[in-house]
Amino acid sequence: MTLGIPNHIAIIMDGNGRWAKSKGMPRTYGHKAGADTLRKILTYCGELGVKYLTVYAFSTENWKRAKEEVDALMFLFKTYLKNEKKTLMKNNVRFIVSGRKDGVSKDLLKEIQNLEEETKNNTGITLNIAFNYGSRAEIVDAINKIIENNEKNITEEIVEKYLYNHLPDPELLIRTSGEMRISNFLLWQIAYSEIYVTETHWPDFDKDELMKAIESYKKRDRRFGGVK
Ligand code: FPP
């Protein structure tokens, strides 16, 4: 028996820089193309009945990049927040962001908050953007909140309660551009996710690529540590 469409897909959108370089263009050109790809993939996921899409847009480690690139990514995200509002509302998309606030400008935090507020009652797909996100940071933040709240008898459910968001775990994790690593993304949540890696760089990831990933997922034998 094959599996159905995943409820939650998580994506490490890698390869924008390499894609741009292969065209003799600056890295920021690749990020801009990456934002266009995200727009398209969100639409396809919505049409397919995927309920949650989590994407890694900026990690807690990405601050180490050249200032010019960091500024460009911040600008791109701000532009995305402004320009996408109408489309997200029209397509009934709930928008949320997961990550730390430190280091992010007040302006950008305000735009994020506004869009989260505006789309909070939408009932279609949820777009969860991991921004200034690191999974170890998320777990450390959760532990600190657990201590602050004087929680006792810690269970998995209690840890989950203090993570940034409360979405079902992703069934499928896609990484573009070929690297076989997790890069501090959703370490808790992907405990049993099926992993799909493609050589395709993120700006070239399209509907066919998405369908290939889903078809591969559908054939997987998910045992969650048990025996069949
Ligand atoms: C990884 O490629 C990509 C990023 C660090 C940024 C991801 C951002 C986007 C897809 C666009 C912006 C998103 C939004 C929400 C507007 P890389 O730069 O590490 O590529 P490389 O490994 O080839 O150098």
Side-chain angles (χ1 to χ4, degrees), residues 13-18 27 31 34-35 38 56-57 62 65 69 73 76-77 80 129 202:
M13 309 182 286
D14 198 14
N16 294 344
R18 274 163 283 174
R27 298 176 56 80
H31 295 315
L38 173 59
Y56 208 1
N62 285 152
R65 295 190 176 196
E69 184 170 346
L73 282 165
L76 196 59
F77 190 35
Y80 182 90
I129 299 211
W202 176 248

Short mmCIF file of all heavy atoms in Angstrom, two decimals, residues 13-18 27 31 34-35 38 56-57 62 65 69 73 76-77 80 129 202, ligand 1:
data_model
loop_
_atom_site.label_atom_id
_atom_site.label_comp_id
_atom_site.label_asym_id
_atom_site.label_seq_id
_atom_site.Cartn_x
_atom_site.Cartn_y
_atom_site.Cartn_z
N MET A 13 15.87 24.91 1.58
CA MET A 13 15.92 25.51 0.23
C MET A 13 17.37 25.87 -0.08
O MET A 13 17.75 27.03 -0.04
CB MET A 13 15.06 26.77 0.19
CG MET A 13 13.64 26.61 0.72
SD MET A 13 12.66 28.11 0.57
CE MET A 13 13.32 29.14 1.87
N ASP A 14 18.18 24.89 -0.41
CA ASP A 14 19.62 25.14 -0.57
C ASP A 14 19.99 25.31 -2.05
O ASP A 14 19.29 24.83 -2.93
CB ASP A 14 20.39 23.96 0.03
CG ASP A 14 21.84 24.30 0.31
OD1 ASP A 14 22.20 25.50 0.29
OD2 ASP A 14 22.63 23.37 0.53
N GLY A 15 21.10 26.01 -2.26
CA GLY A 15 21.68 26.07 -3.61
C GLY A 15 21.45 27.37 -4.36
O GLY A 15 21.81 27.47 -5.53
N ASN A 16 20.87 28.37 -3.69
CA ASN A 16 20.65 29.66 -4.39
C ASN A 16 21.97 30.26 -4.87
O ASN A 16 22.05 30.78 -5.97
CB ASN A 16 19.99 30.68 -3.44
CG ASN A 16 18.59 30.28 -3.03
OD1 ASN A 16 17.99 29.42 -3.65
ND2 ASN A 16 18.08 30.91 -1.98
N GLY A 17 22.99 30.18 -3.99
CA GLY A 17 24.29 30.77 -4.32
C GLY A 17 24.94 30.06 -5.50
O GLY A 17 25.41 30.70 -6.45
N ARG A 18 24.95 28.71 -5.46
CA ARG A 18 25.57 27.93 -6.54
C ARG A 18 24.82 28.15 -7.86
O ARG A 18 25.41 28.24 -8.93
CB ARG A 18 25.58 26.44 -6.18
CG ARG A 18 26.79 26.05 -5.36
CD ARG A 18 26.60 24.73 -4.68
NE ARG A 18 25.75 24.83 -3.51
CZ ARG A 18 25.33 23.79 -2.80
NH1 ARG A 18 25.69 22.58 -3.16
NH2 ARG A 18 24.57 23.98 -1.74
N ARG A 27 25.27 36.19 -5.65
CA ARG A 27 24.49 35.27 -4.82
C ARG A 27 23.07 35.80 -4.57
O ARG A 27 22.10 35.05 -4.51
CB ARG A 27 25.20 35.03 -3.49
CG ARG A 27 26.56 34.38 -3.61
CD ARG A 27 27.22 34.27 -2.24
NE ARG A 27 26.37 33.55 -1.32
CZ ARG A 27 26.26 32.22 -1.28
NH1 ARG A 27 26.96 31.48 -2.09
NH2 ARG A 27 25.45 31.65 -0.41
N HIS A 31 19.06 34.29 -4.43
CA HIS A 31 18.06 34.36 -3.35
C HIS A 31 16.73 34.92 -3.88
O HIS A 31 15.66 34.50 -3.47
CB HIS A 31 18.58 35.23 -2.20
CG HIS A 31 19.78 34.62 -1.52
ND1 HIS A 31 19.85 33.30 -1.19
CD2 HIS A 31 20.96 35.17 -1.12
CE1 HIS A 31 21.03 33.04 -0.61
NE2 HIS A 31 21.71 34.16 -0.57
N GLY A 34 15.10 32.33 -5.60
CA GLY A 34 14.62 31.38 -4.59
C GLY A 34 13.28 31.81 -4.00
O GLY A 34 12.41 30.97 -3.73
N ALA A 35 13.12 33.10 -3.82
CA ALA A 35 11.84 33.60 -3.28
C ALA A 35 10.72 33.34 -4.29
O ALA A 35 9.59 32.99 -3.91
CB ALA A 35 11.96 35.09 -2.96
N LEU A 38 9.75 29.72 -4.00
CA LEU A 38 8.93 29.48 -2.81
C LEU A 38 7.46 29.81 -3.09
O LEU A 38 6.56 29.04 -2.72
CB LEU A 38 9.45 30.33 -1.64
CG LEU A 38 8.59 30.30 -0.38
CD1 LEU A 38 8.44 28.88 0.15
CD2 LEU A 38 9.17 31.20 0.70
N TYR A 56 13.16 26.66 5.38
CA TYR A 56 14.31 27.22 6.10
C TYR A 56 14.80 28.44 5.31
O TYR A 56 15.45 28.30 4.27
CB TYR A 56 15.40 26.15 6.13
CG TYR A 56 16.36 26.19 7.29
CD1 TYR A 56 16.29 27.11 8.30
CD2 TYR A 56 17.38 25.23 7.36
CE1 TYR A 56 17.18 27.10 9.37
CE2 TYR A 56 18.28 25.21 8.41
CZ TYR A 56 18.18 26.14 9.42
OH TYR A 56 19.07 26.12 10.46
N ALA A 57 14.48 29.63 5.77
CA ALA A 57 14.82 30.84 5.01
C ALA A 57 16.08 31.53 5.52
O ALA A 57 16.78 32.18 4.75
CB ALA A 57 13.65 31.81 5.03
N ASN A 62 23.41 31.90 9.67
CA ASN A 62 23.55 32.69 8.43
C ASN A 62 24.04 34.12 8.68
O ASN A 62 24.48 34.81 7.75
CB ASN A 62 22.24 32.73 7.64
CG ASN A 62 21.92 31.44 6.92
OD1 ASN A 62 20.75 31.12 6.68
ND2 ASN A 62 22.94 30.67 6.56
N ARG A 65 27.44 35.26 7.27
CA ARG A 65 27.69 35.60 5.86
C ARG A 65 28.05 37.08 5.71
O ARG A 65 27.84 37.87 6.64
CB ARG A 65 26.44 35.28 5.04
CG ARG A 65 26.17 33.80 5.03
CD ARG A 65 25.10 33.41 4.05
NE ARG A 65 24.99 31.96 4.05
CZ ARG A 65 24.38 31.26 3.12
NH1 ARG A 65 23.83 31.85 2.09
NH2 ARG A 65 24.33 29.95 3.18
N GLU A 69 25.19 40.22 1.90
CA GLU A 69 24.25 39.12 1.65
C GLU A 69 23.17 39.07 2.73
O GLU A 69 21.99 38.87 2.44
CB GLU A 69 25.00 37.78 1.57
CG GLU A 69 24.06 36.64 1.22
CD GLU A 69 24.77 35.32 0.90
OE1 GLU A 69 25.99 35.33 0.68
OE2 GLU A 69 24.06 34.29 0.88
N LEU A 73 19.16 39.46 2.19
CA LEU A 73 18.17 38.47 2.62
C LEU A 73 17.09 39.13 3.49
O LEU A 73 15.90 38.82 3.37
CB LEU A 73 18.85 37.32 3.37
CG LEU A 73 19.54 36.28 2.47
CD1 LEU A 73 20.49 35.40 3.27
CD2 LEU A 73 18.51 35.42 1.73
N LEU A 76 14.88 41.11 1.19
CA LEU A 76 14.04 40.21 0.40
C LEU A 76 12.86 39.71 1.23
O LEU A 76 11.72 39.65 0.76
CB LEU A 76 14.90 39.03 -0.05
CG LEU A 76 14.39 38.16 -1.17
CD1 LEU A 76 14.18 38.99 -2.42
CD2 LEU A 76 15.41 37.05 -1.47
N PHE A 77 13.14 39.39 2.48
CA PHE A 77 12.08 38.88 3.35
C PHE A 77 11.05 39.99 3.61
O PHE A 77 9.84 39.75 3.56
CB PHE A 77 12.70 38.36 4.66
CG PHE A 77 11.74 37.59 5.52
CD1 PHE A 77 10.76 36.79 4.97
CD2 PHE A 77 11.83 37.66 6.91
CE1 PHE A 77 9.87 36.06 5.77
CE2 PHE A 77 10.95 36.95 7.72
CZ PHE A 77 9.97 36.16 7.15
N TYR A 80 8.98 40.41 0.63
CA TYR A 80 8.07 39.26 0.52
C TYR A 80 6.85 39.49 1.42
O TYR A 80 5.70 39.32 1.00
CB TYR A 80 8.81 37.98 0.93
CG TYR A 80 8.01 36.71 0.81
CD1 TYR A 80 8.00 35.98 -0.36
CD2 TYR A 80 7.26 36.23 1.87
CE1 TYR A 80 7.28 34.80 -0.48
CE2 TYR A 80 6.52 35.06 1.77
CZ TYR A 80 6.54 34.34 0.59
OH TYR A 80 5.81 33.19 0.48
N ILE A 129 7.62 29.90 8.10
CA ILE A 129 8.96 30.29 7.64
C ILE A 129 9.92 30.24 8.82
O ILE A 129 9.73 30.94 9.82
CB ILE A 129 8.91 31.69 6.99
CG1 ILE A 129 7.99 31.65 5.77
CG2 ILE A 129 10.33 32.15 6.62
CD1 ILE A 129 8.30 32.56 4.64
N TRP A 202 17.70 25.05 -5.48
CA TRP A 202 16.36 25.53 -5.13
C TRP A 202 15.70 26.38 -6.22
O TRP A 202 14.53 26.16 -6.55
CB TRP A 202 16.38 26.25 -3.77
CG TRP A 202 15.06 26.84 -3.41
CD1 TRP A 202 14.75 28.16 -3.33
CD2 TRP A 202 13.85 26.11 -3.13
NE1 TRP A 202 13.41 28.32 -3.01
CE2 TRP A 202 12.84 27.07 -2.88
CE3 TRP A 202 13.51 24.76 -3.08
CZ2 TRP A 202 11.53 26.73 -2.57
CZ3 TRP A 202 12.18 24.41 -2.77
CH2 TRP A 202 11.22 25.39 -2.52
C1 FPP B 1 20.53 28.52 0.87
O1 FPP B 1 21.25 28.70 -0.32
C2 FPP B 1 19.50 29.51 0.99
C3 FPP B 1 19.44 30.46 1.97
C4 FPP B 1 20.41 30.61 3.04
C5 FPP B 1 18.36 31.44 1.97
C6 FPP B 1 17.02 30.94 1.55
C7 FPP B 1 16.23 32.07 1.06
C8 FPP B 1 15.35 32.04 0.04
C9 FPP B 1 14.96 30.83 -0.70
C10 FPP B 1 14.72 33.26 -0.48
C11 FPP B 1 14.07 34.13 0.48
C12 FPP B 1 12.98 33.59 1.25
C13 FPP B 1 11.91 34.31 1.57
C14 FPP B 1 11.03 33.82 2.65
C15 FPP B 1 11.59 35.55 0.91
P1 FPP B 1 22.77 29.09 -0.21
O2 FPP B 1 22.87 30.56 -0.24
O3 FPP B 1 23.37 28.45 1.00
O4 FPP B 1 23.32 28.45 -1.53
P2 FPP B 1 24.73 27.76 -1.73
O5 FPP B 1 24.78 26.60 -0.78
O6 FPP B 1 24.68 27.34 -3.15
O7 FPP B 1 25.76 28.79 -1.45
#
